[in-house]
C-alpha cells in the first residue's frame, strides 16, 4: 500500500485548501471532507496545474452552487408551535441534476450539510450515472415523535423545499432519520402542491408509487459487493470471516444481511445508545423487528437473545469497536472512528475496514489504517450503492416501467464492481496502488473536472 501521492506537491492546491479553511473556519466537518479529498489530488493537479488555475477550477469546486436555508414551522400534538431549520445544499451540478439524501437529526447544521453534499459530488461521479452532488435535511429530531407529528413536519418541510427541486433539477432521497415513511409524506405534499405526478423528484419511494425494488437493500448490499471485490484483489476469502457493524439502521441492517449471505459471522451491532455482542452471530430477524417495526432500542435485543451482552456507549472508543473481528463496517454516522479507536481495531487484528456511513473515520484514523496496511474502503466509493440504485429508480421512473429485484441487484453489483475497478486503476496510475481513498478521489475528480472545464466558467 502506497501513500506516495502525498509526496507530490502543488502550490495551487495548497493555497486553495488554505483559503477554503480560512473562509469556512467555523465548518469543521466541511473542512475535514474538503481537505481529505483535495489532499489526495496533488498528482492530478500537478499535471494540469496551469489549466486548472486559469479556470479557477478548484476554487469553484469547493464553493456550493447554491445553499437554501429555510424556516420549518409545524404544530406538535399538544397544539404548540415548533420551529426547525431546513437546508438544501446544491453543491455541483456539472454531471447531472443535484442528487443526495435528506437527513433529519438534531445535529444537522450547514457544515454537516456541506460536507455531505461535497462527498456526494464524487460518490455520484463514481457510479457512472449522470447525477450531480447535493444534500439536505433539518435539525428536526424524529425520535419520540408521533406519526402525526412526523407527517406535519414533512409537509411543512416540503412546502418550502418544493420550490427548489424537480426531477431534472434536484432529486432528494433518504438518509439518517429519513426512511420510507418520511419519503411517502414528502412525496405526497410535493404532488399536492405541484399538482403533478413527477415520480422522479424523490427516490426511496414505496414500491406502490414509483419506488425501485432493492433500493432499501442497496447501500448495505453494495457495501458488501465493494468489500468482496477489494478482498478478492488481495486474495482474501469472505467466507468464514467475522464482522462488527456500527449502527442498526438501513445501511447496517442490509450490510449485515449480505455479509451473512456471504458466510460472514456478524458479532456485534449498535445504535446511538449502546452495542450488543452475540458470540453466536447476530439474529438479524430480531434486529429488523426492533428497528424496522417497533422503532425500539438495540438493548431490546436481550429480550430475544438473553445470552447476548449489552454495553452502553459513552467511552472514547465506542464499545462495538472493542470487539475483535476480521472486517469492520462502520454504518452509523460521521467521525465514529477516531485515532484511538483505529488503534484498537488494528490491535484486534482486523484485515479490512469498509465504510457504509459517510465519513465515519477521522483523517487521522484513515491515515493510521493505511499506514498499518489495513484494506480501507472509503465511504464515497463503498456506500455508493444507495445513490446508484436511486439513479436506477430514476431510470425506471423515466421509462414508466419496473425491473425485477434480481435485475436491479445485478445492475447494482455491476456498478459496485466497476467502482472498485475505477478506484483500483486510478490508484495504480498515480503510483498509490492499494490506496483506495486516493483512487476514489482521483477517479471521481477527473470526471467532474472534465465536465466543469467543458461547461466554461459558471
Ligand atoms: P438510519 O437512520 O437508518 O440509521 C442510522 C443508525 O446510526 C442508527 O442505528 C442510529 O442509532 C445510528 N446513529 C446515528 N447517529 C449516531 C451517533 N451520533 N452515534 C452512534 N450511532 C448513531 O440511517 P442510514 O442507515 O440510512 O445511514 C447511516 C449512515 O450511512 C449515514 O452516515 C448516512 O449518511 C450513510 N448513508 C446512507 C445511505 C442510505 O441509502 N440510507 C446511502 C449512503 C450513505 P439510533 O437509532 O439510536 O439513532
Amino acid at each position: 500500500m502506497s501513500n506516495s501521492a502525498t509526496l507530490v506537491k502543488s502550490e495551487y492546491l495548497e493555497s486553495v485548501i488554505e483559503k477554503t479553511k480560512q473562509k469556512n473556519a467555523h465548518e469543521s466537518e466541511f473542512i475535514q471532507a474538503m481537505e481529505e479529498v483535495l489532499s489526495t489530488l496533488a498528482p492530478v493537479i500537478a499535471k494540469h496545474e496551469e489549466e486548472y488555475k486559469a479556470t479557477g477550477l478548484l476554487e469553484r469546486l469547493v464553493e456550493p452552487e447554491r445553499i437554501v436555508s429555510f424556516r420549518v414551522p409545524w404544530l406538535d400534538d399538544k397544539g404548540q408551535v415548533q420551529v426547525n431549520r431546513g437546508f438544501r445544499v446544491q453543491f455541483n451540478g456539472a454531471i447531472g441534476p443535484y442528487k443526495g439524501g435528506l437527513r433529519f437529526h438534531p445535529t444537522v447544521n450547514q457544515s454537516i450539510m456541506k460536507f455531505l453534499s461535497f462527498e456526494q459530488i464524487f460518490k455520484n461521479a463514481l457510479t457512472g450515472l449522470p447525477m450531480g452532488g447535493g444534500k439536505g435535511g433539518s435539525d428536526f429530531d424524529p425520535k419520540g415523535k408521533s406519526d402525526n407529528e412526523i407527517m406535519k413536519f414533512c409537509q411543512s418541510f416540503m412546502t418550502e423545499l418544493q420550490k427548489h427541486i424537480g426531477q431534472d433539477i434536484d432529486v432528494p432521497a433518504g438518509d439518517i432519520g429519513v426512511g420510507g415513511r418520511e419519503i411517502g409524506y414528502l412525496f405526497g405534499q410535493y404532488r399536492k402542491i405541484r399538482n403533478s405526478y413527477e415520480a422522479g423528484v424523490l427516490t426511496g419511494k414505496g414500491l406502490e408509487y414509483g419506488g425501485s425494488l432493492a433500493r432499501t437493500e442497496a447501500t448495505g448490499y453494495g457495501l458488501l459487493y465493494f468489500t468482496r471485490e477489494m478482498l478478492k484483489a488481495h486474495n482474501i476469502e469472505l467466507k468464514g470471516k467475522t464482522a462488527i457493524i456500527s449502527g442498526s439502521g438501513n445501511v447496517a441492517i442490509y450490510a449485515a444481511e449480505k455479509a451473512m449471505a456471504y458466510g460472514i459471522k456478524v458479532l456485534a451491532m449498535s445504535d446511538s445508545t449502546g452495542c450488543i455482542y452475540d458470540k453466536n452471530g447476530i439474529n438479524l430477524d430480531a434486529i429488523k423487528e426492533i428497528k424496522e417495526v417497533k422503532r425500539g432500542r438495540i438493548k431490546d435485543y436481550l429480550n430475544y437473545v438473553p445470552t447476548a451482552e449489552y454495553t452502553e456507549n459513552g467511552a472514547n472508543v465506542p464499545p462495538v469497536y472493542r470487539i475483535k473481528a476480521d472486517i469492520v463496517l462502520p454504518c452509523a454516522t460521521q467521525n465514529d472512528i477516531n485515532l484511538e479507536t483505529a488503534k484498537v481495531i488494528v490491535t484486534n487484528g482486523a484485515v479490512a475496514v469498509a465504510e457504509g456511513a459517510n465519513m465515519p473515520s477521522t483523517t487521522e484514523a484513515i491515515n493510521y489504517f493505511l499506514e498499518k496496511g489495513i484494506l480501507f474502503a472509503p465511504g464515497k466509493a463503498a456506500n455508493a450503492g444507495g445513490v446508484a440504485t436511486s439513479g436506477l429508480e430514476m431510470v425506471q421512473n423515466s421509462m414508466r416501467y419496473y425491473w425485477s429485484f434480481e435485475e436491479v441487484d445485478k445492475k447494482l453489483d455491476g456498478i459496485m464492481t466497476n467502482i472498485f475497478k475505477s478506484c483500483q486503476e486510478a490508484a495504480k496510475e498515480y503510483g498509490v496502488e492499494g490506496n483506495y481513498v486516493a483512487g476514489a478521489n482521483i477517479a471521481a475528480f477527473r470526471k467532474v473536472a472534465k465536465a466543469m472545464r467543458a461547461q466554461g466558467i459558471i
Side-chain angles (χ1 to χ4, degrees):
M1 198 141 335
S2 167
N3 260 321
S4 64
T6 50
L7 301 177
V8 182
K9 297 273 179 224
S10 156
E11 266 181 38
Y12 170 49
L13 179 74
E14 280 164 25
S15 82
V16 172
I17 294 179
E18 235 9 82
K19 275 188 221 148
T20 310
K21 281 164 88 169
Q22 282 169 18
K23 207 168 164 181
N24 303 277
H26 54 294
E27 295 181 344
S28 61
E29 293 86 358
F30 171 61
I31 289 175
Q32 183 184 340
M34 176 277 301
E35 209 171 6
E36 186 264 298
V37 172
L38 262 57
S39 63
T40 58
L41 298 179
V44 194
I45 307 292
K47 248 188 177 173
H48 306 273
E49 183 150 331
E50 286 315 308
E51 177 195 335
Y52 287 159
K53 208 170 159 180
T55 56
L57 193 120
L58 291 182
E59 290 89 337
R60 288 188 289 131
L61 186 73
V62 295
E63 195 64 37
E65 290 182 11
R66 189 173 301 102
I67 300 181
V68 189
S69 165
F70 51 95
R71 178 207 297 158
V72 190
W74 56 282
L75 284 176
D76 67 18
D77 286 347
K78 292 185 194 121
Q80 276 166 2
V81 180
Q82 301 288 338
V83 181
N84 287 98
R85 184 172 292 170
F87 292 98
R88 188 70 185 167
V89 179
Q90 299 176 334
F91 218 118
N92 192 308
I95 64 171
Y98 311 107
K99 179 90 195 82
L102 296 171
R103 175 176 293 190
F104 291 168
H105 195 273
T107 55
V108 161
N109 57 32
Q110 184 165 298
S111 170
I112 290 181
M113 294 286 98
K114 279 177 69 181
F115 119 63
L116 288 164
S117 51
F118 187 72
E119 285 281 293
Q120 200 80 40
I121 304 169
F122 304 96
K123 183 188 307 202
N124 293 2
L126 285 171
T127 65
L129 299 172
M131 300 181 290
K135 199 89 185 188
S138 173
D139 59 359
F140 171 73
D141 186 359
K143 272 205 200 92
K145 302 289 186 300
S146 71
D147 202 54
N148 187 43
E149 289 174 325
I150 299 277
M151 182 178 74
K152 283 191 186 152
F153 175 80
C154 288
Q155 289 175 340
S156 179
F157 183 81
M158 183 51 92
T159 301
E160 181 61 31
L161 185 70
Q162 57 89 23
K163 296 174 189 163
H164 311 285
I165 62 173
Q167 58 189 1
D168 296 318
I169 301 168
D170 182 356
V171 182
D175 189 74
I176 292 179
V178 180
R181 172 180 59 167
E182 291 75 17
I183 293 290
Y185 293 144
L186 291 164
F187 184 74
Q189 185 73 352
Y190 182 88
R191 189 173 71 74
K192 182 180 161 80
I193 294 177
R194 302 288 278 255
N195 191 26
S196 161
Y197 206 105
E198 283 175 55
V201 71
L202 287 171
T203 59
K205 297 181 294 294
L207 295 177
E208 309 73 24
Y209 63 97
S212 173
L213 285 161
R215 173 61 187 92
T216 305
E217 293 81 358
T219 310
Y221 279 21
L223 174 65
L224 266 292
Y225 296 149
F226 189 98
T227 307
R228 178 196 67 207
E229 291 305 305
M230 180 171 77
L231 265 62
K232 195 159 82 187
H234 297 264
N235 300 315
I236 303 171
E237 270 245 21
L238 281 180
K239 200 165 176 212
K241 294 282 181 294
T242 53
I244 51 177
I245 301 181
S246 74
S248 48
N250 172 265
V251 180
I253 286 177
Y254 293 95
E257 186 165 282
K258 187 53 82 177
M260 290 174 191
Y262 281 144
I264 296 170
K265 190 195 248 189
V266 178
L267 295 173
M269 292 181 80
S270 64
D271 67 10
S272 58
T273 41
C275 145
I276 43 133
Y277 165 56
D278 188 340
K279 65 178 186 321
N280 299 317
I282 295 285
N283 172 347
L284 198 58
D285 289 338
I287 297 284
K288 281 186 179 177
E289 190 169 303
I290 295 164
K291 290 293 175 181
E292 294 184 331
V293 184
K294 297 185 174 164
R295 297 180 190 272
R297 309 310 304 154
I298 199 123
K299 191 179 182 183
D300 303 342
Y301 187 80
L302 300 180
N303 300 333
Y304 296 78
V305 185
T307 52
E309 290 169 31
Y310 174 74
T311 315
E312 292 263 320
N313 291 340
N316 198 19
V317 177
V320 67
Y321 296 116
R322 289 204 173 273
I323 290 152
K324 206 174 153 80
D326 305 309
I327 299 170
V328 177
L329 303 172
C331 297
T333 191
Q334 65 272 3
N335 292 331
D336 207 13
I337 301 181
N338 58 17
L339 181 60
E340 193 184 341
T341 305
K343 286 182 178 170
V344 172
I345 291 170
V346 171
T347 307
N348 278 342
V351 292
V353 176
E355 297 185 326
N358 284 312
M359 209 168 74
S361 317
T362 63
T363 309
E364 296 75 33
I366 297 173
N367 290 338
Y368 186 76
F369 287 137
L370 294 176
E371 236 174 76
K372 295 290 170 189
I374 301 289
L375 299 179
F376 183 81
K380 72 171 72 62
N383 72 30
V387 74
T389 309
S390 279
L392 298 177
E393 184 173 330
M394 291 162 75
V395 174
Q396 294 169 81
N397 294 151
S398 299
M399 293 193 301
R400 295 175 191 271
Y401 187 68
Y402 293 97
W403 289 319
S404 68
F405 187 98
E406 290 69 28
E407 280 174 291
V408 179
D409 190 30
K410 198 165 161 217
K411 286 181 170 53
L412 168 65
D413 195 336
I415 290 171
M416 295 312 296
T417 303
N418 281 337
I419 292 177
F420 176 73
K421 280 194 192 129
S422 306
C423 299
Q424 189 183 33
E425 282 161 15
K428 199 166 172 193
E429 188 182 334
Y430 284 90
V432 283
E433 199 165 352
N435 179 340
Y436 304 118
V437 178
N441 291 339
I442 291 170
F445 170 77
R446 282 197 305 196
K447 181 171 176 182
V448 177
K450 227 171 157 182
M452 285 176 73
R453 287 281 294 113
Q455 293 172 26
I457 298 172
I458 55 162

